Amino acid sequence: MDQIHSHFSESVLDYDTVADKVVMRNDELHERLIGSVALDGSKELNILDLGCGTGHGISLLLTKFPNAKITGVDFCDRMIENAREKLKNSLKRVRLRGDDFRKMEFGEKYDAVVSAIAIHNVTHEEKNELFGKIYTSLNDGGVFVNGDFVGGETSEMDEQCKNVYQEFLKENLRGGELEAWLRHASEEDMPLALSKQYHMLRNHGFRGIKLVWQFNNEAVYIAEK
């Protein structure tokens, strides 16, 4: 995890300028993720965004849920600073925490927990522990919506998806930036197959687990409490 922290704190100076170059169909992924939070937008909801980055997802949530309060968590101080600037006109409804979602106590109940391109950065054991914390933190009827890099269901599928993704990076990046992201993808990312994630989620009590979008090695799914 120290390598990942270094990557986002030192190698990535402005994630907003590079996001579309390192996440295939980034806008589509976020739109499907936020669109899958099927809650009553008129209610005073409490939403948690794990790995909120520069606040792109929070911006979309604020628009869809005008009465919601949103907590964004990210371990990268630069990301939190950028999010605070981007969301400066909405800070009455937004709380930003510079913290590690693997270790932090969530501390309250939420109607929805969302995450975009974040959970693949932690070990599979930590994913399992995190899914348990998310389930415990949700109100009855709450939803967890995750949009992330995922592993292939077979070694052949996994290799094929990795090759497609590497070609995507090579088309969009150059020089040291390309080298940093290729290294991050091949040595630091820890995506997990959807079937294995679903198994973990069910073991913690989640139900209604459904895949709502997938493109190559990226997917959005929902799980209900």
Side-chain angles (χ1 to χ4, degrees):
M1 197 69 174
D2 289 342
Q3 287 179 308
I4 296 170
H5 189 278
S6 175
H7 175 74
F8 285 100
S9 299
E10 299 172 12
S11 300
V12 183
L13 298 179
D14 186 354
Y15 185 73
D16 281 340
T17 65
V18 78
D20 290 341
K21 299 178 181 180
V22 300
V23 180
M24 304 171 79
R25 300 191 181 183
N26 184 45
D27 285 341
E28 187 176 346
L29 181 149
H30 277 83
E31 288 169 4
R32 293 303 299 271
L33 190 157
I34 303 304
S36 298
V37 184
L39 299 174
D40 187 345
S42 66
K43 292 185 176 181
E44 295 183 357
L45 302 171
N46 196 22
I47 300 175
L48 175 64
D49 185 351
L50 298 175
C52 66
T54 59
H56 179 52
I58 293 177
S59 296
L60 298 174
L61 288 165
L62 288 168
T63 299
K64 182 175 181 178
F65 301 107
N67 297 313
K69 292 184 178 180
I70 303 169
T71 300
V73 177
D74 202 283
F75 72 166
C76 178
D77 292 339
R78 181 182 288 117
M79 295 281 198
I80 291 293
E81 290 170 6
N82 290 345
R84 185 167 284 111
E85 175 61 25
K86 179 184 293 186
L87 302 167
K88 61 185 178 183
N89 295 325
S90 302
L91 291 179
K92 289 184 179 179
R93 294 173 54 203
V94 175
R95 178 175 55 180
L96 297 170
R97 292 179 57 177
D99 212 335
D100 185 338
F101 58 63
R102 299 173 306 162
K103 303 174 183 178
M104 60 176 273
E105 296 296 328
F106 290 176
E108 56 187 280
K109 291 287 188 177
Y110 297 93
D111 301 293
V113 176
V114 303
S115 184
I117 312 296
I119 295 175
H120 72 280
N121 285 308
V122 307
T123 68
H124 300 337
E125 181 179 354
E126 289 167 339
K127 290 180 181 68
N128 187 41
E129 293 174 356
L130 179 63
F131 291 160
K133 288 205 303 183
I134 291 171
Y135 184 83
T136 300
S137 73
L138 282 170
N139 288 317
D140 291 341
V143 296
F144 169 46
V145 187
N146 187 25
D148 205 358
F149 292 119
V150 298
E153 293 297 327
T154 67
S155 58
E156 291 81 7
M157 290 173 61
D158 195 58
E159 189 65 24
Q160 181 179 349
C161 287
K162 286 179 179 178
N163 289 338
V164 170
Y165 180 62
Q166 287 178 0
E167 289 303 312
F168 171 78
L169 293 178
K170 291 174 182 177
E171 289 174 3
N172 287 281
L173 304 173
R174 296 291 183 273
E177 191 173 44
L178 173 60
E179 292 177 6
W181 280 100
L182 285 173
R183 182 179 62 252
H184 177 67
S186 63
E187 299 177 10
E188 299 168 0
D189 279 357
M190 292 171 277
L192 183 63
L194 285 169
S195 60
K196 294 180 180 178
Q197 294 192 50
Y198 294 171
H199 180 72
M200 290 177 179
L201 291 164
R202 292 190 186 97
N203 281 345
H204 288 294
F206 280 102
R207 57 185 177 79
I209 302 167
K210 181 173 67 173
L211 177 67
V212 295
W213 180 88
Q214 185 167 13
F215 181 76
N216 196 52
N217 63 334
E218 300 169 5
V220 176
Y221 64 76
I222 62 175
E224 304 171 354
K225 180 172 180 177

